[in-house]
Amino acid sequence: MTAPHSADLHTDPRLFSGLDVYAVAGNPISHSKSPVIHQRFAEQAGQRMHYGRLQPEINSFAIAAKTFFDAGGKGMNVTVPFKLDAQALADVLTARARLAGAVNTLWIQDGKIYGDNTDGAGLVRDLLAQGIELHSARILLLGAGGAARGVIGPLLEQSPKCLVIANRSNAKADELVKLFADIAAKHEVALESRALADLESPTITQYPFDLVINATAAGLSDESPLSAKAVVNIFVPSSFAYDMVYGKTTAFMQQALQRGARVSDGLGMLVEQAADAFLLWRGSDLASAIDPRAVLAKLRS
Ligand code: ATR
């Protein structure tokens, strides 16, 4: 039986006796590539498991997740809009999940629900796999919501030269700078906040960036957070523009391409965050058995 307010997407663990059952929960969820990604990892690592989808109603995440775990579910990935609900639900949070302020991976251990956030590690691994140098890089992060917050810690750990967080409302970016000040100091990173509008000013934004990451929700509605004036200050041909949205060349990516910069969507981040979740669930000893880049290449083909 699924949770009373969930769409029945055949993810009831009791329907799969003898198999460990996992799911991704989001709303909407029908578009999710997570089931196919985890199925490929399971094949690569010789794991017998089922991975399905759950679509709780907007206010029913906790009941849907509890019902899933009570029925024997082993682990869950969590996506928009439930990452904060997942954090609230977890009995135990990893340090990076606490810092990220959101949870994308849940699992049962010793009768408790554990929560972690693998998004930031996934982004960093995808960038490194694409040959992007993060050490000493000038990085601009667009957005100050949950998606941005989730990746700041792992980016700072790579010791870039600077990380500028730019948001429509400067106050939210300021809060994140305060929250991550200690980690920035530890890794000797100049961490700054800026209003998006300040990116237009050559006196405030005096140099272009090596890496610009779009973590705003603007991409979803096919807008870019960057004005034409800001684009000129930010991108040079050696820049790399990364949009966390996947499956399309977004308006943000098009702006970067027009300036001669290289671009990427966020599909690699999706695959890499899934790889971390898979290893949390199935054991880190399987790291050499799975090949996220091959899974990514197959998804792109
Ligand atoms: P998420 O968890 O996906 O990050 P969120 O917490 O609602 O979602 O945050 C959305 C982010 O996208 C915010 O940084 C928001 O800017 P504000 O804080 O100023 O609202 C940003 N955003 C959304 N639409 C945008 C747009 N059209 N242009 C620029 N920024 C946008």
Side-chain angles (χ1 to χ4, degrees):
M1 193 175 62
T2 48
H5 300 295
S6 294
D8 182 356
L9 298 162
H10 307 292
T11 308
D12 183 344
R14 283 168 293 191
L15 297 174
F16 301 91
S17 90
L19 285 183
D20 289 346
V21 176
Y22 300 86
V24 59
N27 190 339
I29 203 59
S30 59
H31 66 285
S32 174
K33 293 190 187 305
S34 291
V36 68
I37 293 170
H38 281 276
Q39 196 184 325
R40 297 250 159 83
F41 288 150
E43 284 161 14
Q44 290 175 339
Q47 301 291 294
R48 271 176 50 74
M49 53 186 262
H50 173 77
Y51 187 106
R53 295 181 169 88
L54 282 172
Q55 185 173 294
E57 292 295 325
I58 297 300
N59 294 318
S60 303
F61 173 78
I63 185 167
K66 278 190 190 139
T67 303
F68 175 78
F69 284 122
D70 285 348
K74 298 282 187 212
M76 182 182 279
N77 283 135
V78 183
T79 186
V80 179
F82 298 126
K83 290 184 185 183
L84 296 182
D85 301 86
Q87 192 195 33
L89 179 77
D91 302 308
V92 184
L93 290 173
T94 62
R96 64 183 178 177
R98 254 196 308 276
L99 257 180
V103 157
N104 76 336
T105 306
L106 293 168
W107 69 96
I108 288 279
Q109 192 176 316
D110 307 326
K112 291 200 168 101
I113 299 178
Y114 279 68
D116 195 3
N117 190 313
T118 65
D119 283 332
L123 170 68
V124 165
R125 257 207 325 284
D126 186 39
L127 288 167
L128 295 175
Q130 296 197 56
I132 306 307
E133 178 80 54
L134 297 175
H135 187 84
S136 299
R138 293 183 196 274
I139 303 179
L140 172 63
L141 179 63
L142 303 171
R149 181 169 164 175
V151 301
I152 294 172
L155 285 172
L156 291 173
E157 284 168 9
Q158 296 298 309
S159 297
K161 185 184 181 73
C162 70
L163 178 61
V164 175
I165 304 171
N167 199 46
R168 259 189 324 208
S169 65
N170 203 4
K172 260 169 131 183
D174 278 346
E175 273 173 38
L176 292 184
V177 166
K178 282 191 199 120
L179 194 63
F180 286 92
D182 289 348
I183 300 182
K186 183 174 161 205
H187 295 279
E188 298 182 6
V189 186
L191 179 63
E192 292 170 33
S193 66
R194 208 164 287 177
L196 279 180
D198 291 341
L199 298 174
E200 295 180 359
S201 156
T203 39
I204 300 174
T205 301
Q206 294 176 348
Y207 46 79
F209 291 88
D210 301 307
L211 171 63
V212 183
I213 300 166
N214 184 18
T216 70
L220 297 173
S221 50
D222 229 4
E223 292 168 41
S224 169
L226 296 176
S227 68
K229 257 178 148 177
V231 163
V232 176
N233 286 335
I234 288 168
F235 291 123
V236 285
S238 60
S239 305
F240 190 77
Y242 192 98
D243 204 318
M244 288 193 191
V245 171
Y246 61 83
K248 59 182 173 187
T249 304
T250 61
F252 162 78
M253 288 159 74
Q254 275 160 13
Q255 286 173 320
L257 285 169
Q258 277 157 16
R259 298 286 297 161
R262 287 181 301 148
V263 302
S264 173
D265 74 353
L267 190 59
M269 175 179 172
L270 181 79
V271 172
E272 295 288 358
Q273 64 77 31
D276 270 12
F278 184 87
L279 296 176
L280 279 166
W281 295 333
R282 307 302 296 181
S284 54
D285 54 316
L286 296 178
S288 56
I290 63 169
D291 185 349
R293 302 320 285 182
V295 172
L296 175 61
K298 190 106 188 254
L299 282 178
R300 290 216 190 273
S301 69

